[in-house]
Amino acid sequence: MKQYIESGKAILGIEFGSTRIKAVLIDDAGAVLAVGGYDWENSLKNGIWTYSLDEIYAGLKGSYASLKADVKEKYNVTLKSFKAIGISGMMHGYLPFNEKGELLADFRTWRNTITGEAAGILTKEFNFNIPQRWSIAHLYQSILNGEDHVKDIKYFTTLAGFIHTLLTGEKVLGIGEASGMFPMTGHNYDEDMLTKFDNLVAGKYPWSIREILPKVLVAGESAGVLTAEGAKLLDEEGDLQAGIPMCPPEGDAGTGMVATNSVRIRTGNVSAGTSVFAMIVLENALKKLYEEIDMVTTPDGAPVAMVHCNNCTSDINAWVNLFKEVAELSGADIKMGDLFTALFKKSAEADADCGNLLSYNYFSGEHITGFETGKPLFVKNPDSNFSLANFMRVQLFTCFGALKTGLKILDNENVNVDKILGHGGFFKTPVIGQSVLAAVMNTPVSVMETAGEGGAWGIAVLAAFAVNKAEGESFPDYLDSKIFASQKMTTLEPDKAIVDSFNAFMERYTKGLAIERAAVEM
């Protein structure tokens, strides 16, 4: 393996998640050779969830340096080259640039719910659901706000697109990521909707929407090569060589589909981390527009129904940090991973009614339940059974409360799914998270051994496909035969007791939204 890595045959994937930037090195079969990471967190600046440019640069360099150190320790190899590289990031958001490549406004992430007016107008104009977090909604809201920077826009993109441009100079996006910027028809932006948008802003600006959107690429297409400037930016020590092929940059939804081999029709996955979303690859179009359902695509362009919720594990993370402080007060030295595992396992001892407890994990707004802003909230009655097991079970259940609200629409549309796979940090503790999701969806749920690696592994696989695919080989066939043929996977059937417990919780959750509304309006 040392010679394999040293000769530049390994493949690199880097994904910018909401709380952690992961770097993963794989071989041609998808086996993980080394990992690196960099922790970061968004900040609320002038009412906008954002990361600064300095943080983005530091995270890119830091994640790579961490991977490089891991390779050095494991194999005594100094990384100098790769067979291919892929970049991924949290989807959507807004990064507008001028002709000089200068950022014109603070990066607005997917987490913002400040584009309600724009999203409403565009949804009506297009007769197509435009969620608040989509890039086109952010652009149009900037126009409605009369923001001065709009006139100077040369192009705008997502976080993954920005990083890819830094490394290659190419202004491109993978189709899955691009479908979260602007609606698609086939393998490109919808022409009628492009025209409708231009008509909305006719005569106001010196650009057309077609001119400022990134070029769309599908999985397997070339997206440029690492430039000398990009190599220096990624590797501050200067060992990395230029000229490495790069695949189209993708969003975390697309890489999640790859990581769970959910790119064929009638497959689906649920990604659970800071946010939570379900992706179902459709065999038939939905009967009508639903504002709770996003229509995006797989990395190779198949239509996908997406139920996206802004909030998932942030509140659990906050509580576990508090419990760690308590443990440290007693002199205990416990690792965060071990504490998460212990608390997740404790939830299995919960009462059927979870002690009649209630929790909302709304760190930010949640469009599916009608909240533009949020407040984390925990509620108990005087006679509630306030045990640790009940508390933890409710924390796990509430991660999927808003998601379940959206999934009911797909149930009513008779959308058929042959398999559901879970991935992301929520599933790192064996069995527990998986059993909760099986109860939420009332269908068998599988988790692969790569579930914890998530999107960084997924984008590395996309990079591998770009350089390893056979002529005429489809992306689903490549995944089945080259990547997942030997992957270990565990599948859990829904446990009726947990299904009944979750359904009872959802009744309280729905009724209690008035409490959350009152808290937000305080």
Side-chain angles (χ1 to χ4, degrees):
M1 191 54 64
K2 176 179 179 179
Q3 186 177 1
Y4 183 89
I5 296 172
E6 206 163 29
S7 61
K9 294 180 179 178
I11 298 156
L12 171 65
I14 298 178
E15 178 161 278
F16 283 69
S18 298
T19 58
R20 186 162 176 78
I21 302 168
K22 293 181 181 178
V24 173
L25 196 66
I26 66 169
D27 65 14
D28 285 334
V32 176
L33 308 178
V35 297
Y38 183 91
D39 292 328
W40 70 340
E41 186 57 81
N42 57 188
S43 55
L44 191 61
K45 180 181 177 183
N46 299 322
I48 294 173
W49 290 105
T50 188
Y51 302 84
S52 70
L53 280 180
D54 287 344
E55 290 173 312
I56 293 171
Y57 290 132
L60 177 65
K61 296 172 183 177
S63 61
Y64 182 80
S66 175
L67 173 77
K68 190 177 180 182
D70 191 45
V71 170
K72 186 69 174 178
E73 180 180 346
K74 287 180 177 176
Y75 307 104
N76 194 28
V77 171
T78 298
L79 284 175
K80 294 182 179 179
S81 188
F82 306 101
K83 193 174 187 180
I85 299 175
I87 297 294
S88 177
M90 56 191 101
M91 279 185 80
H92 317 296
Y94 180 65
L95 284 150
F97 297 89
N98 64 15
E99 193 165 3
K100 297 179 180 178
E102 298 166 332
L103 185 62
L104 295 171
D106 287 338
F107 171 33
R108 299 169 192 182
T109 77
W110 59 271
R111 197 170 200 171
N112 289 286
T113 50
I114 56 176
T115 63
E117 183 184 7
I121 292 171
L122 293 177
T123 295
K124 184 177 180 180
E125 184 72 21
F126 294 167
N127 192 31
F128 186 98
N129 182 37
I130 303 296
Q132 288 202 47
R133 65 187 180 282
W134 278 31
S135 306
I136 193 63
H138 280 283
L139 172 62
Y140 194 54
Q141 190 65 55
S142 299
I143 292 170
L144 294 176
N145 293 346
E147 296 183 38
D148 187 60
H149 78 268
V150 177
K151 69 180 187 314
D152 298 319
I153 294 176
K154 186 66 175 178
Y155 74 99
F156 73 119
T157 189
T158 65
L159 180 58
F162 171 52
I163 300 298
H164 185 88
T165 301
L166 286 176
L167 299 181
T168 66
E170 301 289 339
K171 299 177 179 66
V172 300
L173 277 184
I175 189 170
E177 176 77 331
S179 69
M181 285 194 75
F182 195 94
M184 292 280 155
T185 295
H187 287 176
N188 214 332
Y189 304 114
D190 184 279
E191 279 292 329
D192 288 343
M193 296 184 203
L194 290 170
T195 298
K196 287 178 179 179
F197 188 88
D198 274 340
N199 289 340
L200 282 175
V201 299
K204 293 183 179 180
Y205 302 105
W207 47 257
S208 161
I209 186 63
R210 291 174 175 82
E211 298 169 347
I212 64 173
L213 281 164
K215 180 182 178 182
V216 179
L217 301 174
V218 297
E221 290 191 294
S222 171
V225 299
L226 182 69
T227 63
E229 294 79 8
K232 290 176 183 177
L233 183 63
L234 191 56
D235 181 10
E236 287 191 300
E237 294 177 328
D239 297 310
L240 186 60
Q241 300 170 4
I244 302 168
M246 294 191 64
C247 71
E250 268 295 350
D252 50 4
T255 57
M257 286 186 272
V258 175
T260 53
N261 195 18
S262 304
V263 298
R264 286 193 187 276
I265 290 172
R266 293 173 64 105
T267 65
N269 77 86
V270 173
S271 172
T274 303
S275 64
V276 60
F277 47 85
M279 313 283 295
I280 310 297
V281 188
L282 300 176
E283 56 182 336
N284 297 304
L286 298 181
K287 295 183 181 69
K288 62 178 185 178
L289 180 154
Y290 295 97
E291 293 191 7
E292 299 88 348
I293 307 295
D294 305 356
M295 290 304 302
V296 291
T297 78
T298 63
D300 60 336
V304 174
M306 178 181 188
V307 182
H308 183 283
C309 303
N310 287 348
N311 302 284
C312 188
T313 60
S314 292
D315 203 29
I316 287 181
N317 294 343
W319 283 109
V320 175
N321 280 325
L322 182 68
F323 293 150
K324 188 172 190 295
E325 281 192 51
V326 174
E328 289 171 344
L329 278 176
S330 65
D333 182 15
I334 184 169
K335 295 180 180 178
M336 285 297 290
D338 294 337
L339 184 55
F340 269 104
T341 297
L343 290 169
F344 270 48
K345 288 182 176 179
K346 186 67 178 177
S347 72
E349 303 171 17
D351 299 332
D353 67 351
C354 299
N356 201 27
L357 305 178
L358 182 60
S359 178
Y360 295 95
N361 59 344
Y362 292 9
F363 264 61
S364 61
E366 200 60 82
H367 72 286
I368 286 180
T369 50
F371 288 84
E372 292 189 6
T373 59
K375 278 188 181 179
L377 185 66
F378 176 73
V379 183
K380 69 183 182 72
N381 292 325
D383 60 349
S384 294
N385 183 8
F386 186 34
S387 69
L388 182 60
N390 286 334
F391 177 83
M392 286 306 302
R393 171 65 67 82
V394 164
Q395 296 303 320
L396 299 182
F397 278 177
T398 199
C399 286
F400 299 104
L403 185 77
K404 182 65 173 180
T405 305
L407 289 172
K408 289 178 180 177
I409 294 171
L410 298 183
D411 290 341
N412 294 335
E413 277 267 354
N414 297 315
V415 171
N416 296 309
V417 185
D418 294 330
K419 64 175 182 177
I420 290 289
L421 291 102
H423 72 108
F426 189 88
F427 301 104
K428 280 190 175 181
T429 299
V431 178
I432 301 300
Q434 191 176 353
S435 66
V436 169
L437 181 59
V440 172
M441 304 199 73
N442 200 19
T443 194
V445 170
S446 301
V447 172
M448 297 179 180
E449 60 184 5
T450 54
E453 302 301 339
W457 185 82
I459 193 63
V461 169
L462 277 163
F465 176 64
V467 293
N468 291 335
K469 67 183 185 301
E471 185 175 352
E473 185 175 27
S474 74
F475 188 47
D477 286 346
Y478 174 84
L479 292 180
D480 284 343
S481 63
K482 307 288 175 52
I483 301 297
F484 289 101
S486 60
Q487 280 287 334
K488 294 179 180 178
M489 182 169 64
T490 60
T491 301
L492 285 182
E493 298 285 333
D495 183 315
K496 186 178 184 304
I498 304 177
V499 172
D500 291 343
S501 179
F502 178 77
N503 288 340
F505 167 79
M506 277 304 297
E507 289 185 18
R508 293 199 304 279
Y509 182 94
T510 303
K511 291 178 182 177
L513 286 170
I515 307 172
E516 173 69 15
R517 178 69 63 193
V520 168
E521 293 175 353
M522 284 178 58

XYZ file of all heavy atoms in Angstrom, residues 10 56 59 72 89 91 99 117 120 128 137 207 214 217 231 235 240 257 301 310 328 337 363 441 465 487:
198
model
N -3.762 6.665 -5.353
C -4.901 6.832 -4.449
C -5.757 8.023 -4.887
O -5.309 8.882 -5.659
C -4.419 7.017 -3.015
N -12.891 29.360 5.588
C -12.941 28.424 4.462
C -11.532 28.020 4.043
O -11.235 26.822 3.867
C -13.703 29.047 3.280
C -15.180 29.233 3.646
C -13.575 28.177 2.031
C -15.978 30.037 2.629
N -9.966 25.856 6.737
C -10.546 24.525 6.759
C -10.044 23.645 5.629
O -9.795 22.444 5.818
N 1.321 9.985 6.612
C 2.717 9.917 7.053
C 2.873 8.946 8.218
O 3.811 8.133 8.257
C 3.186 11.318 7.468
C 4.668 11.405 7.808
C 5.539 11.219 6.577
C 7.002 11.453 6.885
N 7.863 11.241 5.711
N -19.479 19.800 -0.759
C -19.806 20.722 0.325
C -21.296 20.731 0.597
O -22.096 20.173 -0.170
N -24.922 21.741 0.453
C -25.590 22.260 -0.751
C -26.121 23.677 -0.570
O -26.217 24.186 0.535
C -26.762 21.348 -1.123
C -26.377 20.090 -1.881
S -27.824 19.158 -2.411
C -28.310 20.075 -3.883
N -15.900 40.420 -11.263
C -15.018 40.018 -12.362
C -13.616 39.664 -11.880
O -12.918 38.855 -12.500
C -14.950 41.150 -13.396
C -14.328 40.723 -14.706
C -14.606 41.715 -15.818
O -15.241 42.758 -15.542
O -14.200 41.447 -16.959
N -39.760 35.770 0.792
C -40.446 36.541 -0.254
C -39.996 36.092 -1.637
O -40.822 35.841 -2.535
C -40.161 38.033 -0.064
C -40.889 38.918 -1.078
C -40.524 40.392 -0.936
O -39.611 40.715 -0.136
O -41.146 41.211 -1.645
N -41.166 32.527 -2.533
C -42.591 32.511 -2.862
C -42.875 33.020 -4.259
O -43.664 32.425 -5.012
N -42.873 25.747 -9.821
C -41.868 24.760 -9.416
C -41.381 25.183 -8.036
O -41.073 26.369 -7.828
C -40.703 24.763 -10.421
C -39.665 23.697 -10.196
C -39.709 22.520 -10.928
C -38.649 23.868 -9.271
C -38.754 21.538 -10.732
C -37.690 22.904 -9.065
C -37.739 21.720 -9.809
N -32.928 31.618 -4.961
C -33.762 32.362 -4.012
C -32.932 33.433 -3.315
O -33.396 34.562 -3.097
C -34.388 31.414 -2.984
N -26.179 41.765 -16.634
C -25.945 40.336 -16.850
C -27.267 39.612 -17.092
O -28.338 40.082 -16.736
C -25.218 39.699 -15.660
C -25.772 40.047 -14.290
C -25.239 40.926 -13.395
C -26.964 39.515 -13.662
N -26.014 40.998 -12.259
C -27.078 40.132 -12.385
C -27.946 38.593 -14.037
C -28.129 39.854 -11.508
C -28.998 38.308 -13.158
C -29.064 38.931 -11.907
N -22.947 28.588 -12.889
C -21.863 27.680 -13.280
C -22.305 26.724 -14.385
O -23.498 26.420 -14.534
C -21.577 26.893 -11.987
C -22.211 27.676 -10.887
C -23.376 28.384 -11.496
N -22.198 19.830 -15.215
C -21.545 18.597 -15.652
C -22.194 17.405 -14.962
O -22.703 17.531 -13.843
C -20.044 18.619 -15.318
C -19.211 19.746 -15.928
C -17.792 19.703 -15.380
C -19.180 19.632 -17.454
N -2.709 23.756 -6.019
C -1.876 22.828 -5.249
C -1.230 23.529 -4.060
O -1.173 22.985 -2.949
C -0.812 22.212 -6.151
N -1.969 22.451 -0.183
C -0.836 21.921 0.580
C 0.156 23.046 0.856
O 0.979 23.385 0.000
C -0.164 20.791 -0.200
C 1.006 20.175 0.553
O 1.174 20.491 1.752
O 1.741 19.376 -0.058
N 2.555 18.946 -2.898
C 1.542 18.475 -3.829
C 1.814 18.977 -5.246
O 2.090 20.156 -5.460
C 0.158 18.925 -3.368
C -1.042 18.406 -4.160
C -1.109 16.881 -4.141
C -2.338 18.997 -3.597
N -26.048 10.190 -1.670
C -26.621 9.153 -2.529
C -25.546 8.172 -2.982
O -25.769 6.956 -3.032
C -27.311 9.794 -3.731
C -28.632 10.449 -3.399
S -29.516 11.052 -4.867
C -28.821 12.688 -5.029
N -27.928 12.639 -13.009
C -29.041 13.339 -13.619
C -30.423 12.740 -13.466
O -31.378 13.261 -14.046
N -33.701 21.608 8.227
C -32.500 22.334 8.640
C -31.860 21.796 9.913
O -30.670 22.003 10.144
C -32.838 23.812 8.867
C -33.078 24.556 7.580
O -32.793 24.057 6.492
N -33.629 25.751 7.682
N -16.906 15.545 33.820
C -15.580 16.062 34.174
C -15.564 16.654 35.577
O -14.534 16.619 36.260
C -15.151 17.105 33.144
C -14.816 16.497 31.788
C -14.599 17.536 30.716
O -14.994 18.715 30.931
O -14.054 17.178 29.645
N -16.868 10.397 21.774
C -17.439 9.277 21.030
C -18.018 8.219 21.938
O -19.096 7.667 21.678
N -32.543 24.833 16.042
C -31.498 25.849 16.157
C -31.735 26.964 15.141
O -31.361 28.101 15.359
C -30.116 25.216 15.931
C -29.408 24.845 17.200
C -29.963 23.919 18.075
C -28.204 25.426 17.545
C -29.325 23.572 19.248
C -27.549 25.098 18.716
C -28.113 24.162 19.572
N -39.651 5.620 9.266
C -40.089 5.343 7.898
C -40.943 4.090 7.799
O -41.525 3.803 6.744
C -38.864 5.236 6.980
C -37.971 6.467 7.022
S -36.863 6.620 5.623
C -37.974 7.098 4.319
N -14.749 7.327 -10.319
C -15.548 7.026 -11.508
C -15.070 7.852 -12.701
O -15.005 7.357 -13.834
C -17.021 7.305 -11.223
C -17.933 7.121 -12.397
C -18.099 5.877 -12.981
C -18.639 8.199 -12.929
C -18.942 5.690 -14.072
C -19.498 8.031 -14.015
C -19.646 6.774 -14.592
N -19.061 -4.485 -0.174
C -19.331 -3.657 1.004
C -20.176 -4.413 2.026
O -21.161 -5.061 1.668
C -20.074 -2.380 0.603
C -19.182 -1.302 0.036
C -18.314 -0.631 1.084
O -18.648 -0.599 2.246
N -17.187 -0.117 0.650
